[in-house]
Amino acid sequence: MLASPLLDVQGLQVEYQTPGGVVRAVDGVSFQIRPGEVLGLAGESGSGKSTVAHAITRILHPPAVITGGEVHFRDRDVLAMSDTELANFRWREVSMVFQSAMNALNPVMTIGDQIADTIVAHEAVTRRDARERARELLDVVGIEARRLDAYPHQLSGGMRQRAVIAIALALNPPLMIMDEPTTALDVVVQQEILLQIEELKERFGFSILFITHDLSLLVEFSDRIAIMYAGQIVEMAPAQRVFDDPLHPYTVGLMNSFPALTGEKTRMSGIPGSPPDMRHPPSGCRFHDRCALVQPMHTRVVPLLREAKPGHFVACHLYDAMPGSAPAADVHHLALRGR
Amino acid sequence: MRFLIRRLGFYLLAAWASLTLNFVLPRMMPGDPAAAMFARFRGQAQPEQIEAMRKAFGLSDAPLIQQYGTYVSHALRGDFGLSISSFPAPVIQVIGTSLQWTLLLGLVSTILGFVIGSLLGVFGAWRRGGLADSVLPPLLLFVGSFPYFWLASLALFFLGFRWKLFPLRHAYADNLMPSWSWDFIGSVGTHLVLPAGTILLVSIGGWMLGMRNTMISVLAEDYITMAEAKGLSQNRIMFAYAARNALLPNVTAVGMALGFVISGALVTETVFAYPGLGYQLLTAVRNLDYPLMQGIFLMITFAVLIANLIVDLLYVRLDPRVRG
Amino acid sequence: MQIDMQDQARPVTAEVTDMGQVLPLAQPRRGVTLPLWLRAVARNRKATLGVIILALFALVALAAPVIAPGDPTDFVDRPHLAPSAAHLLGTTGQGQDVFTQTVWGSRPTLAVGLLVGIATTIVGIVVGLSAGYFGGGVDDLLSLVTNVFLIVPSLPLLVVLAAFLGSGNFAFFILVLTITGWAWPARIMRSQTLSLREKDFVAAARVGGESGPRIILTEILPNMLSIVVASFLGSTVFAIGALTALEFLGLGNPSIISWGTNLYWASNNAGLLTGAWWTFVPAGACIALVAFAFALVNYAIDEITNPRLRAQGEVAAASKRRRKSAPSTRATPVVRHAS
């Protein structure tokens, strides 16, 4: 059917041991990314999306522990890798673009050195050759060569983000994880960077796991979108489908909270309530205390991520009927903008 | 650059404050300073000595502001008056012979302490729960609580007196003359072990804990996570990314700590009769040699200020954000 | 990830950020319950040990007439007698009882130390909080003065002050020790005030119309309590050290019995070089123990109130319990639940 997946995550569980109790930040997350695909992972602050990103290459720090699930990259078991294997695997196969470039860059090292660092660590080249490659990479992302010896604080916000992207490109990895790469930038620069990323993806052909809380960024940019809530994926579908036909009440609520730039004026609505305490998440469906369509059964039984329509997965009891059948009429009403 | 100029201005201000304090002190003694001196010496001072003291303090019948001007102009020329205990040698000359030993002692113990302590701190923070993190800090904390002069006394007693491992006093063997021969340098070395070792042991806990704490803060930063994500070796991350950044606040701390280290060095010298400024200060106190006391105080203060300036220069080299 | 604050009965103690950092939240103090940090300190082994040692010394100092009856300045036997049943710690170079002198010596030393600790902390609070809160010209001026006092080495300054103005009575020592010792607490208080000033509850108080001094007293100061205590302990140690150093150099009051003067006489009477170690070991050991006890408590306070140190320390402790040695790398561990 399709090429075997590049990244295959099944039932991933990540817990934090805090003084106040155990927090299961990621609870049974499964998804795949194919070569050349862009998967958008969207959710509120605290939904666990960043934790998922960091768990893939195991760069979460104590008190985080991966307590279950599988992570396979090209059929290699990442969770079983030794430290040496991990060091080899990291950046060469999966690289990352972090949210705040200012924080992600070593303040006392030139960006040229920070690019060359990873090249030298993975390949048997001299520093000089690595520097040459670094110069080329800066050129690719649109930074002038003389910035090779610049320190992070000497660059503008947009340039820093480009530098971070250049570092991520250094070993030409098949997968790049981008954790809110544009959140810390102003809107104009945001667009530039997004265009740059798109162009680079066309040129080099890598897959992207794009994490953000801003859904509007994803619709044009990603092939598929996964929505996370309270440590679980609640909906996953091709990008346009998520926008045109959101199924999960949470997704519907998110769509309703974005005012349209054009068209009739509509009333804005938010989602009532607040995200749950992850030490004691709600029983059954975790969204049940904020959902207008909750039924008693929803508070007891955990909904599984099921294919409700072709290629469109949702974890919601409202779609427990046979796949392909029409959803409950109420959801349609909820989906109408302006409600 | 602006950073350095501001620091220099501050040091000049501190130097001026010390000078002014020195000017004020004799005049704060109850009664006429010279008469007070006379009384303290119980009439045993020579008239020339009293006169020398008056001149050293800038005491005269001129108006206060003029006395101050004279005093400051003399000080800037290095004229701190005549020493009472080594009368009629000028204070500056008496100090000159001992400054180098204090510098040697201070530099050796500070540099060694900082380097070894920082390395221990780096390893302690990197492997939380390892040896360097669980055993050493409490141990060094304990040793660091010892008063300098007490540990010095213990060292002198056991290692010098009882077990005769190291010399008991002075900076070099009494039968040697200063020269650049290996003999002399070796002798200086063995005489340096106990005093420098004492200062090192007491202060190393502080250096280690300081580095360890900044390392722990740095290790929580995003650029460390990114370095790990880049698949760099543990050593590279520990030194080029973590320690290199954790170093900066500790370099600043060296400047602050210098005052403490110097104070510790002073008392240590007295125990070992190490012929530095500290030992001389003790002698000055015993002999009520006020001009010498003041001269030593100023000299030590200026030395600390200059050392701080050097540390600032070093910091500018290390932190690209300040270079600007 | 914001842990839900709906549950009032169990106050929120930890915050898990998206980058996987677990930070205990600093809680503004409400009511008269013991602050969280104080309770944690009370449970801490290091702090308990320190407090026990200090309590013992306090007891000894207070009960001196009972423990070592008689006048410590009495000449009781031949000089430089080794410890025996008659004289527990032997006799000094002048024939006085070392044990009695050590016990009675605790009084002036500890008293001056504590009083200076209190005085420098008060001055430090006044100067530091004013500088930190009011900022601007007030801060510039106060900081300048503070830094000048900080940079001038304390012992040489003390020596000249004591030599020129010395009168040997307590008040004088307390005064000069406070003069040389107030700058460090002031600096610490200032930086703490600066960081607290930016916190929300202070802004709320300001908006609510509370006056400057009132805000300082009721909002800022109570939240700095751990710093104030730690600073007080540090100042006391400094004072004891400086006092004994002065006395050792001969600038103390030779007619009083204190640990410092004991050491002065011991070195004057060449106790060291005649092998009479018992003349200088006890007093110095007492100073070392007291200083160590203060340092222990401070260390514990630091460990508890510094969230980074604490989080990492707990992890180290937890991993030590789970396996023999701490993990040598920082890759996320995989510890699967037995399902």
Side-chain angles (χ1 to χ4, degrees):
Chain A
M1 185 179 64
L2 303 144
S4 77
L6 199 56
L7 176 70
D8 187 2
V9 177
Q10 295 296 329
L12 184 63
Q13 270 181 15
V14 180
E15 286 176 8
Y16 290 95
Q17 327 259 350
T18 76
V22 170
V23 175
R24 193 173 283 188
V26 173
D27 198 354
V29 161
S30 310
F31 61 89
Q32 297 177 333
I33 301 183
R34 294 180 281 272
E37 178 183 27
V38 178
L39 175 67
L41 186 58
E44 297 173 320
S45 173
S47 55
K49 53 193 197 302
S50 257
T51 307
V52 167
H54 287 67
I56 292 174
T57 52
R58 292 175 60 190
I59 54 175
L60 287 171
H61 289 147
V65 182
I66 298 178
T67 53
E70 306 286 332
V71 175
H72 289 268
F73 190 88
R74 283 183 174 158
D75 298 326
R76 292 171 64 189
D77 186 353
V78 179
L79 299 186
M81 281 186 188
S82 69
D83 296 328
T84 332
E85 291 168 332
L86 257 184
N88 254 323
F89 166 75
R90 286 173 177 168
W91 221 253
R92 197 201 290 266
E93 309 285 349
V94 180
S95 70
M96 288 188 71
V97 174
F98 287 85
Q99 173 173 342
S100 166
M102 189 64 234
N103 293 340
L105 292 171
N106 185 346
V108 297
M109 223 187 230
T110 62
I111 55 170
D113 277 338
Q114 297 192 48
I115 302 178
D117 241 0
T118 187
I119 299 176
V120 165
H122 284 95
E123 301 178 15
V125 294
T126 64
R127 271 250 154 205
R128 264 185 57 196
D129 291 336
R131 256 177 79 87
E132 270 315 300
R133 297 243 306 258
R135 200 189 303 266
E136 291 163 14
L137 282 163
L138 286 183
D139 186 47
V140 162
V141 298
I143 299 181
E144 350 163 73
R146 70 183 173 96
R147 300 285 185 175
L148 203 62
D149 292 321
Y151 289 94
H153 70 279
Q154 293 171 316
L155 305 175
S156 70
M159 257 198 276
R160 279 198 288 267
Q161 201 63 23
R162 291 174 197 268
V164 169
I165 294 173
I167 301 179
L169 276 174
L171 299 173
N172 209 351
L175 172 65
M176 271 205 221
I177 301 179
M178 302 197 178
D179 189 357
E180 312 245 24
T182 56
T183 304
L185 305 167
D186 68 63
V187 178
V188 178
V189 182
Q190 224 176 59
Q191 266 307 104
E192 288 175 12
I193 299 292
L194 280 176
L195 284 173
Q196 175 93 79
I197 295 176
E198 237 179 326
E199 181 198 306
L200 290 168
K201 180 192 173 286
E202 288 307 311
R203 180 164 161 183
F204 291 99
F206 45 81
S207 308
I208 304 180
L209 175 62
F210 195 102
I211 297 167
T212 181
H213 65 275
D214 184 352
L215 262 180
S216 54
L217 285 179
L218 293 177
V219 66
E220 305 211 3
F221 191 59
S222 35
D223 300 315
R224 282 188 303 141
I225 296 178
I227 311 275
M228 265 189 88
Y229 182 78
Q232 296 170 327
I233 294 184
V234 296
E235 187 159 356
M236 188 156 57
Q240 201 61 44
R241 302 295 312 286
V242 173
F243 272 77
D244 294 338
D245 184 20
L247 296 183
H248 196 283
Y250 177 62
T251 317
V252 173
L254 287 178
M255 293 300 152
N256 283 351
S257 59
F258 282 105
L261 208 54
T262 56
E264 308 175 5
K265 277 195 282 200
T266 59
R267 170 170 270 134
M268 276 188 55
S269 56
I271 308 173
S274 46
D277 174 356
M278 290 305 289
R279 281 173 305 175
H280 311 280
S283 56
C285 169
R286 291 192 177 166
F287 189 66
H288 76 242
D289 53 350
R290 303 170 74 183
C291 185
L293 300 172
V294 60
Q295 305 279 319
M297 184 269 273
H298 300 180
T299 67
R300 294 191 307 269
V301 180
V302 177
L304 301 173
L305 193 68
R306 285 216 210 91
E307 193 165 13
K309 298 186 180 179
H312 196 144
F313 295 78
V314 66
C316 177
H317 287 300
L318 298 169
Y319 301 91
D320 274 352
M322 302 244 299
S325 64
D330 295 352
V331 184
H332 267 312
H333 283 136
L334 211 63
L336 286 174
R337 286 188 174 271
R339 188 171 198 280
Chain B
M1 202 55 219
R2 198 180 308 164
F3 167 73
L4 283 177
I5 294 182
R6 270 186 53 201
R7 299 297 288 168
L8 185 62
F10 168 66
Y11 296 139
L12 288 174
L13 183 71
W16 168 83
S18 316
L19 265 181
T20 308
L21 176 71
N22 255 351
F23 177 76
V24 165
L25 271 179
R27 291 161 181 77
M28 277 172 65
M29 294 173 78
D32 168 31
M37 306 285 152
F38 191 77
R40 288 202 189 192
F41 276 109
R42 290 179 276 276
Q44 283 169 346
Q46 310 276 21
E48 306 91 68
Q49 291 177 308
I50 305 271
E51 190 51 39
M53 249 198 292
R54 298 187 110 248
K55 276 185 67 181
F57 295 148
L59 289 172
S60 65
D61 297 318
L64 207 60
I65 212 66
Q66 195 177 326
Q67 291 186 31
Y68 185 60
T70 320
Y71 175 74
V72 172
S73 64
H74 280 183
L76 290 177
R77 281 201 321 250
D79 178 3
F80 297 114
L82 302 178
S83 157
I84 301 298
S85 51
S86 314
F87 193 82
V91 164
I92 193 78
Q93 186 184 326
V94 176
I95 291 180
T97 59
S98 50
L99 178 62
Q100 68 220 23
W101 295 114
T102 302
L103 280 179
L104 177 66
L105 183 61
L107 276 175
V108 168
S109 23
T110 306
I111 292 177
L112 273 181
F114 183 72
V115 169
I116 299 177
S118 298
L119 279 174
L120 287 176
V122 167
F123 285 114
W126 188 258
R127 291 171 169 257
R128 292 305 303 275
L131 191 75
D133 187 49
S134 49
V135 172
L136 275 184
L139 183 65
L140 292 179
L141 198 67
F142 179 56
V143 176
S145 308
F146 290 15
Y148 282 97
F149 56 86
W150 191 62
L151 185 63
S153 306
L154 286 177
L156 179 64
F157 183 75
F158 287 105
L159 295 174
F161 181 71
R162 269 277 170 83
W163 300 326
K164 302 195 175 3
L165 287 171
F166 293 100
L168 291 177
R169 46 182 47 237
H170 298 159
Y172 52 87
D174 293 333
N175 55 358
L176 289 178
M177 286 299 293
S179 68
W180 286 112
S181 67
W182 281 119
D183 257 353
F184 181 71
I185 293 180
S187 181
V188 167
T190 50
H191 281 80
L192 198 53
V193 171
L194 285 185
T198 303
I199 301 174
L200 188 67
L201 268 180
V202 177
S203 59
I204 202 166
W207 298 124
M208 180 196 175
L209 279 176
M211 188 56 153
R212 175 179 164 270
N213 286 354
T214 50
M215 266 296 272
I216 289 176
S217 281
V218 163
L219 286 175
E221 294 281 348
D222 290 351
Y223 55 84
I224 300 295
T225 308
M226 173 144 168
E228 291 170 342
K230 290 204 293 196
L232 303 179
S233 72
Q234 298 287 302
N235 277 343
R236 178 97 184 139
I237 301 176
M238 183 161 63
F239 287 109
Y241 283 75
R244 184 68 177 68
N245 277 283
L247 190 64
L248 298 175
N250 285 290
V251 168
T252 316
V254 172
M256 282 294 141
L258 276 176
F260 288 116
V261 177
I262 281 292
S263 302
L266 294 185
V267 280
T268 306
E269 283 179 12
T270 64
V271 173
F272 290 103
Y274 200 78
L277 291 175
Y279 188 58
Q280 213 156 53
L281 189 63
L282 178 68
T283 320
V285 167
R286 290 222 176 112
N287 295 318
L288 294 176
D289 190 343
Y290 293 99
L292 184 58
M293 268 190 254
Q294 288 193 310
I296 293 178
F297 165 68
L298 278 181
M299 188 57 59
I300 294 176
T301 305
F302 291 164
V304 168
L305 292 175
I306 292 175
N308 266 281
L309 189 61
I310 294 176
V311 167
D312 288 335
L313 286 167
L314 186 65
Y315 186 84
V316 169
R317 289 289 302 136
L318 288 175
D319 189 348
R321 290 166 289 193
V322 176
R323 262 180 248 163
Chain C
M1 176 183 326
Q2 281 296 24
I3 297 180
D4 208 336
M5 294 202 60
Q6 287 167 346
D7 193 346
Q8 296 288 343
R10 277 169 302 182
V12 178
T13 55
E15 175 190 336
V16 180
T17 67
D18 267 330
M19 281 297 287
Q21 305 303 320
V22 182
L23 304 173
L25 288 174
Q27 289 289 300
R29 200 167 73 115
R30 302 268 181 263
V32 276
T33 57
L34 275 186
L36 208 63
W37 66 270
L38 194 58
R39 278 182 274 164
V41 168
R43 287 197 298 263
N44 182 295
R45 271 188 327 195
K46 291 192 189 72
T48 317
L49 179 63
V51 169
I52 290 177
I53 295 178
L54 290 174
L56 277 173
F57 274 102
L59 196 65
V60 165
L62 289 170
V66 173
I67 300 177
D71 188 339
T73 58
D74 278 348
F75 300 102
V76 294
D77 215 321
R78 292 201 326 272
H80 282 161
L81 283 179
S84 63
H87 303 287
L88 282 174
L89 290 172
T91 59
T92 69
Q94 292 172 332
Q96 295 154 320
D97 185 290
V98 174
F99 177 74
T100 315
Q101 287 205 327
T102 310
V103 166
W104 283 85
S106 63
R107 293 183 149 200
T109 313
L110 291 176
V112 171
L114 284 169
L115 287 172
V116 172
I118 294 174
T120 53
T121 306
I122 292 177
V123 174
I125 289 178
V126 168
V127 173
L129 261 67
S130 310
Y133 187 77
F134 293 117
V138 173
D139 185 12
D140 286 342
L141 181 65
L142 288 176
S143 290
L144 192 60
V145 174
T146 308
N147 285 334
V148 169
F149 273 89
L150 266 181
I151 208 163
V152 173
S154 50
L155 190 66
L157 178 61
L158 278 171
V159 167
V160 288
L161 283 175
F164 277 85
L165 307 171
S167 50
N169 64 27
F170 273 163
F172 172 75
F173 281 115
I174 293 177
L175 181 66
V176 292
L177 285 171
T178 308
I179 289 176
T180 51
W182 69 266
W184 188 249
R187 188 179 138 101
I188 293 179
M189 305 294 177
R190 175 181 172 272
S191 67
Q192 194 67 12
T193 306
L194 280 176
S195 65
L196 277 176
R197 192 177 65 164
E198 305 309 320
K199 294 254 157 104
D200 287 340
F201 60 92
V202 173
R206 257 205 295 248
V207 165
E210 288 186 31
S211 72
R214 204 181 133 76
I215 293 184
I216 292 181
L217 279 177
T218 59
E219 302 286 346
I220 295 187
L221 196 54
N223 284 291
M224 282 176 48
L225 227 39
S226 61
I227 300 285
V228 171
V229 170
S231 167
F232 163 72
L233 296 175
S235 288
T236 308
V237 175
F238 157 79
I240 294 178
L243 176 70
T244 48
L246 274 181
E247 291 173 329
F248 180 72
L249 290 174
L251 286 162
N253 185 344
S255 55
I256 65 167
I257 300 292
S258 72
W259 288 335
T261 55
N262 288 354
L263 290 164
Y264 169 72
W265 287 115
S267 91
N268 248 21
N269 295 325
L272 211 56
L273 297 172
T274 59
W277 55 268
W278 54 88
T279 55
F280 67 87
V281 166
C286 288
I287 300 171
L289 275 174
V290 169
F292 181 54
F294 277 116
L296 276 177
V297 180
N298 251 352
Y299 192 81
I301 293 181
D302 196 34
E303 228 176 33
I304 285 167
T305 54
N306 185 334
R308 295 253 152 79
L309 285 184
R310 181 175 160 203
Q312 301 272 353
E314 276 174 0
V315 168
S319 68
K320 251 202 293 200
R321 269 174 281 157
R322 259 188 287 135
R323 64 196 102 179
K324 295 197 186 80
S325 63
S328 58
T329 68
R330 294 148 51 83
T332 317
V334 181
V335 180
R336 295 176 191 275
H337 286 315
S339 52

